[in-house]
């Protein structure tokens, strides 16, 4: 029986292939197909429903239902049995449709005569395209074999849809990947960019989903899976010393690659008439559909491992890979599900923008994108399935919005925005060489944050006076293994060379929390942000810190060196870190290395506790830099990575400004230079308030220097200070409304 079904299924697919090859229009082809399926499955009805927009399905062809209903009958996602199949991505098979959950009677189709219903989703790699339905008069449940055969056919229909076989009139038959799409995500890095899609992992196209020769397809599949297994084993061998997560992923790969169930399903697909690659894609599509349903994070990850593995298998089978030979389009905008920092650095400044389907604001890729000042949108769902290489695309990093294949109105509005930004940049460049001198005669130090060699050219172009924060961990994060001391020393020397005498504040390694080195054994900590991180790691395991300090000392060799320790929560941590540094200096001297001409040593104030440290700390420390990102998250107990809470508390909240004021006062008493290097330093209104309270130096991303300086040069900080403290006196929660109002009145003058 099963064998007969297989032959039937192959026959049907062969007939499908013939219609694919025939020279008829999309609608006629769909009509032929519904006829073919109904005929070969012995059912009275076969219908194809396709999406006309994200929420609405439309009956596009039918054998058996009233022809007048075609292109008239529509249902919303989730509505009726067809809508249920589309929403869940799951098959509905029932002998008594009117009694089934969610049934909705559609009188215009004349379907009341039919009792049994079998609906399967038409989907391609998790992308929902429509629903294929067969119905019969007699109340019978379709057999497993029949259901399976229909799923195979739906898979081929999905491929045909992708290949443009059903293009016709109306929205439901319009060509795919040609309409304008707006996708909403989250801001990863501000800025606006226009360009063309460049897919990090080009989609594998299965041009030939049907095969007549199951035997040779089985051989192809077996050989490809063998190649895949060998590859996975090799990766496992190479990373046995690697981190736990990576091992877990590779183990999962191995488990799937050896999974009999996975292999058996694909073999069955082939025996039904699919080609090897179509079989892989069919199972992959189903895994993706399941992925969208499961809530459990662990299971989702495993399904996504299976997805990656299927991609590898598809590339082996089709010979299509990253090396497709395609040329990068002009103004490339990178599209990926996710990307590692190393890969991103390889693309470097070539990219105009980046859009990730997953990713997160605090991911390493986001850190790199920020360092390169490339607009980035994360969590843009569907982007990898919607975008095609070369598509026109506009990325609005400020709003976290992506316009794919935008229409003319969007294009002109967006270009206006880019032009305005460019004009503003031009205005800023005219004040590049001028100091941030306020109307009341104070001059605020304008420095930039950096972390990669790629940042250094901005020192010149932004007009920064120096690097106020060099995040040394980026060099550790973008590698697959611990950098050597000699490599680091050479790199730091290059940084100092490019700074041409401008001050560079190297922050010693700040790892832990969200910054996990891929090659260091991860710690299972219940709350990593409050855990073993930054200076705590440096002091408990001084080996790496010493190595880094040596590299810094050797890099400076005869030049001034400035460094600061991150995340100092109490005086003693600073003293201990200094003692390490003193020991290292003494050792370097003994070894005969040229010492730096001078060494300035500071600390980062990132926990409220340090604001209340003994006066001796403020007297001893060379300078203080407020790490506002961390300080704010601890002050308000609101995780900086958590989208739900991270914007909940305003930096201009009077409580937070009062804490900053306290730090300013304490630094003044001890004559300790104070700077602020969190993200808020680069936001003009926040920067203005910080300066008004008494912060002397701000360090920010290079692109923010122009806007911040431009505002500072227009204001009187004494007045701003009064506005701030008056608002506090009045019992306001945030000084923002008062300051914004005051700025407005200034502009009016
Ligand atoms: C900060 O916490 O404000 C800071 C500058 O350090 P990072 O963002 O690298 O933690
Ligand atoms: Mg920090």
């Amino acid at each position: 029986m099963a064998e007969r079904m297989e032959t039937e299924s192959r026959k049907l697919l062969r007939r499908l292939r013939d219609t694919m090859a025939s020279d008829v229009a999309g609608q006629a082809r769909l009509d032929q197909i519904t006829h073919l399926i109904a005929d070969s499955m012995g059912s009275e009805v076969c219908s194809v429903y396709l999406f006309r927009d994200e929420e609405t399905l439309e009956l596009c062809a039918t054998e058996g239902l009233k022809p007048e209903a075609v292109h008239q009958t529509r249902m919303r996602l989730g509505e009726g049995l067809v809508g249920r199949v589309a929403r869940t991505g799951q098959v509905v098979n029932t002998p008594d449709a009117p009694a089934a959950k969610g049934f909705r009677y559609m009188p215009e189709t004349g379907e009341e005569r039919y009792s049994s219903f079998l609906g399967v989703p038409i989907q391609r790699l998790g992308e929902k395209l429509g629903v294929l339905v067969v119905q019969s008069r007699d109340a019978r449940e379709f057999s497993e074999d029949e259901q399976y055969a229909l799923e195979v056919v739906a898979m081929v229909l999905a491929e045909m849809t992708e290949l443009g076989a059903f293009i016709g009139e109306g929205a439901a038959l319009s060509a795919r990947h040609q309409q304008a799409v707006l996708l909403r995500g989250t801001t990863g890095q501000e800025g606006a960019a226009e360009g063309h899609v460049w897919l990090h992992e080009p989609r594998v196209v299965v041009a030939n989903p049907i095969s007549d020769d199951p035997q040779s397809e089985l051989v192809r599949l077996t050989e490809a899976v063998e190649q895949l297994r060998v590859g996975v084993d090799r990766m496992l061998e190479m990373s046995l010393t690697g981190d736990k997560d990576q091992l877990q992923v590779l183990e999962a790969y191995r488990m799937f690659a050896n999974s009999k169930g996975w292999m058996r399903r694909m073999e069955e697909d082939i025996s039904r008439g699919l080609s090897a690659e179509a079989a892989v894609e069919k199972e992959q599509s189903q895994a993706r559909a399941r992925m969208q349903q499961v809530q459990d994070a662990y299971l989702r990850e495993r399904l996504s491992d299976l997805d990656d593995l299927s991609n590898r298998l598809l590339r082996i089978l089709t010979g299509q890979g990253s090396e497709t030979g395609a040329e990068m389009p002009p103004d490339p905008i990178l599209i990926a599900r996710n990307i590692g920092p190393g890969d991103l650095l390889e693309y470097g400044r070539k990219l105009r923008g980046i859009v990730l389907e997953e990713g997160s604001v605090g991911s390493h890729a986001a850190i790199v994108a920020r360092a390169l000042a490339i607009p980035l949108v994360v969590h843009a769902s569907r982007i990898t399935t919607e975008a095609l290489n070369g598509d026109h695309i506009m990325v609005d990093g400020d709003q976290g919005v992506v316009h794919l294949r935008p229409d003319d109105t969007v294009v002109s509005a967006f270009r206006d925005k880019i032009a305005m930004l460019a004009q503003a940049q031009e205005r800023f460049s005219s004040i590049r060489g001028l100091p941030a001198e306020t109307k009341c005669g104070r001059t605020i130090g304008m420095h930039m944050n950096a972390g990669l060699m790629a940042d250094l050219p901005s020192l010149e172009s932004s007009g920064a006076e120096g690097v106020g924060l060099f995040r040394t961990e980026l060099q550790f994060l973008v590698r697959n293994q611990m950098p050597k001391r000699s490599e680091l020393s050479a790199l730091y020397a290059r940084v100092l060379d490019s700074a041409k005498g401008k001050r560079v504040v190297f922050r010693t390694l700040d790892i832990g929390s969200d910054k996990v080195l891929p090659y260091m054994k991860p710690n299972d900590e219940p709350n990593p942000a409050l855990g073993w991180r930054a200076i705590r790691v440096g002091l408990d395991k001084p080996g790496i810190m010493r190595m880094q300090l040596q590299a810094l000392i050797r890099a400076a060799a005869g030049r001034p060196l400035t460094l600061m320790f991150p995340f100092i929560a109490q005086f003693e941590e600073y003293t201990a870190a200094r003692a390490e540094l003193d020991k290292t200096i003494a050792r370097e001297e003994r070894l005969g290395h040229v010492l730096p001409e001078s060494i300035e040593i500071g600390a980062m104030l990132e926990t409220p506790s340090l604001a209340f440290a003994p006066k001796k700390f403020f007297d001893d420390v060379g300078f203080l830099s407020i790490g506002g990102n961390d300080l704010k998250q601890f002050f308000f107990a609101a995780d900086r990575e958590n989208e739900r809470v991270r914007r909940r508390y305003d930096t201009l909240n009077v409580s937070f400004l009062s804490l900053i004021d306290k730090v300013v006062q304490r630094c003044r008493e001890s004559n300790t230079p104070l700077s602020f290097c969190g993200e808020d330093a680069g936001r003009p209104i926040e920067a203005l308030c910080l300066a008004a309270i008494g912060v002397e130096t701000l360090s920010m991303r290079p692109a923010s220097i122009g806007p911040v300086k431009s505002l500072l040069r227009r204001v009187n900080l004494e007045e701003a200070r009064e506005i701030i403290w008056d608002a506090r006196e009045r019992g306001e929660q945030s000084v923002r409304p008062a300051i914004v109002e005051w700025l407005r009145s200034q502009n009016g003058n």
Side-chain angles (χ1 to χ4, degrees), residues 469 471 473 507 510 515 533 604 606 626-631 640 677-679:
L469 166 67
R471 291 181 160 106
E473 63 277 6
R507 167 173 79 185
D510 181 17
K515 299 168 190 160
R533 51 176 295 198
M604 283 188 77
E606 305 189 83
I626 298 177
N629 306 335
D630 274 313
L631 183 63
R640 62 192 264 191
C677 64
E679 294 299 312

Side-chain angles (χ1 to χ4, degrees), residues 654-707:
V654 290
S655 313
F656 190 65
L657 293 185
S658 298
L659 176 72
I660 305 288
D661 182 44
K662 170 147 197 92
V663 178
V664 168
Q665 299 310 329
R666 301 212 59 194
C667 284
R668 281 199 183 139
E669 280 163 24
S670 299
N671 242 335
T672 305
L674 175 67
S675 64
F676 187 107
C677 64
E679 294 299 312
D680 286 317
R683 302 192 172 109
I685 296 185
E686 282 79 343
L688 155 69
C689 293
L690 291 168
I693 291 172
V695 174
E696 299 140 7
T697 302
L698 300 168
S699 191
M700 62 199 81
R701 53 179 82 165
S704 302
I705 291 185

Side-chain angles (χ1 to χ4, degrees), residues 388-492:
L388 292 184
N389 261 342
D391 276 351
H392 187 199
I393 183 170
M394 295 177 139
V395 180
D396 186 339
D398 302 326
Q399 306 294 328
V401 165
V402 178
H403 303 279
L404 185 61
R405 303 179 286 266
D407 54 36
D408 292 349
T409 12
V410 173
V411 170
S412 73
F414 198 85
R415 285 193 182 148
D416 284 350
K417 177 175 169 153
I418 293 184
M420 258 167 57
L421 287 175
Q423 259 174 17
Q425 280 305 334
E426 205 147 288
R427 264 204 324 275
F428 301 144
S429 71
S430 67
I431 54 167
R432 187 172 52 206
L434 302 176
E437 191 180 346
T438 66
K439 280 259 159 39
C440 52
R442 265 182 66 198
T443 301
I444 307 298
M446 302 296 282
H447 293 247
M448 64 172 240
N449 295 345
L452 299 168
M453 262 325 281
D455 290 318
L456 270 298
S458 303
L459 200 45
E460 187 95 24
S461 58
S462 67
E465 292 154 48
V467 176
L469 166 67
F470 190 90
R471 291 181 160 106
T472 60
E473 63 277 6
L474 292 196
Q475 291 302 329
F476 287 73
L477 283 167
V478 297
R479 287 163 202 246
N480 294 323
Q481 54 192 26
M482 183 74 82
K484 295 198 185 72
R485 184 180 50 206
S486 54
E487 285 170 341
L488 285 181
S489 161
L491 180 108
Y492 298 151

Side-chain angles (χ1 to χ4, degrees), residues 341-642:
D343 282 345
L344 198 48
L345 268 179
E346 245 167 65
Y347 285 113
R349 290 190 193 275
K350 266 185 279 183
L351 301 175
R352 290 280 161 271
I354 307 166
V355 184
L356 301 181
E357 189 150 324
E358 296 170 3
S360 77
V361 178
S363 66
H364 304 153
I367 294 173
V368 173
R370 256 173 247 152
L372 297 172
I374 300 174
L376 163 72
V377 172
V378 296
H379 296 153
S381 62
R382 297 195 296 121
I383 185 74
T384 58
T385 38
E386 276 291 353
L388 292 184
N389 261 342
D391 276 351
H392 187 199
I393 183 170
M394 295 177 139
V395 180
D396 186 339
D398 302 326
Q399 306 294 328
V401 165
V402 178
H403 303 279
L404 185 61
R405 303 179 286 266
D407 54 36
D408 292 349
T409 12
V410 173
V411 170
S412 73
F414 198 85
R415 285 193 182 148
D416 284 350
K417 177 175 169 153
I418 293 184
M420 258 167 57
L421 287 175
Q423 259 174 17
Q425 280 305 334
E426 205 147 288
R427 264 204 324 275
F428 301 144
S429 71
S430 67
I431 54 167
R432 187 172 52 206
L434 302 176
E437 191 180 346
T438 66
K439 280 259 159 39
C440 52
R442 265 182 66 198
T443 301
I444 307 298
M446 302 296 282
H447 293 247
M448 64 172 240
N449 295 345
L452 299 168
M453 262 325 281
D455 290 318
L456 270 298
S458 303
L459 200 45
E460 187 95 24
S461 58
S462 67
E465 292 154 48
V467 176
L469 166 67
F470 190 90
R471 291 181 160 106
T472 60
E473 63 277 6
L474 292 196
Q475 291 302 329
F476 287 73
L477 283 167
V478 297
R479 287 163 202 246
N480 294 323
Q481 54 192 26
M482 183 74 82
K484 295 198 185 72
R485 184 180 50 206
S486 54
E487 285 170 341
L488 285 181
S489 161
L491 180 108
Y492 298 151
R494 273 202 290 146
V495 170
L496 290 171
D497 293 344
S498 338
K500 297 191 186 119
K502 286 183 174 171
R503 183 174 183 254
V504 179
V505 182
F506 289 98
R507 167 173 79 185
T508 64
L509 197 57
D510 181 17
I511 48 166
S513 188
D514 59 316
K515 299 168 190 160
V516 183
L517 300 186
Y519 41 86
M520 241 174 99
K521 210 167 130 264
N523 287 294
D524 268 335
E525 291 187 292
N527 203 336
L530 303 176
W532 199 55
R533 51 176 295 198
I535 198 66
R536 301 172 183 176
V537 181
L539 293 175
D540 293 355
K541 287 231 179 280
I544 305 180
M545 185 159 88
R546 275 183 208 142
M547 182 272 275
Q548 190 186 28
L549 291 173
Q550 280 181 317
L552 284 165
I553 292 169
R554 290 183 195 178
R559 296 182 273 193
L561 173 66
T562 311
L563 55 86
M564 63 181 175
F565 298 110
F567 213 69
I568 299 288
Q570 57 179 12
F571 186 9
E572 198 193 86
E573 284 169 341
Y574 175 71
T575 336
R578 256 216 83 144
E580 265 317 322
L581 175 63
D582 289 340
K583 268 197 276 176
T584 312
I585 296 173
R587 197 175 313 115
E588 287 297 286
E589 194 166 22
R590 272 203 309 279
L591 290 172
H593 290 286
V594 183
L595 295 184
E597 179 194 76
S598 58
I599 306 189
E600 242 190 303
I601 309 156
M604 283 188 77
L605 191 150
E606 305 189 83
T607 60
S609 62
L610 200 65
F612 301 89
K615 177 161 188 306
K616 186 152 180 3
F617 165 74
F618 287 87
D619 291 341
D620 279 10
V621 74
F623 63 93
L624 262 187
S625 188
I626 298 177
N629 306 335
D630 274 313
L631 183 63
K632 193 176 153 193
Q633 81 164 334
F634 296 120
F635 189 72
F636 290 112
D639 187 343
R640 62 192 264 191
E641 296 298 326
N642 184 335

Side-chain angles (χ1 to χ4, degrees), residues 148-162:
Y148 190 81
L150 201 65
E151 284 180 280
V152 170
V153 172
M155 146 89 219
V156 174
L157 288 189
E159 285 310 314
M160 291 171 80
T161 314
E162 181 70 17

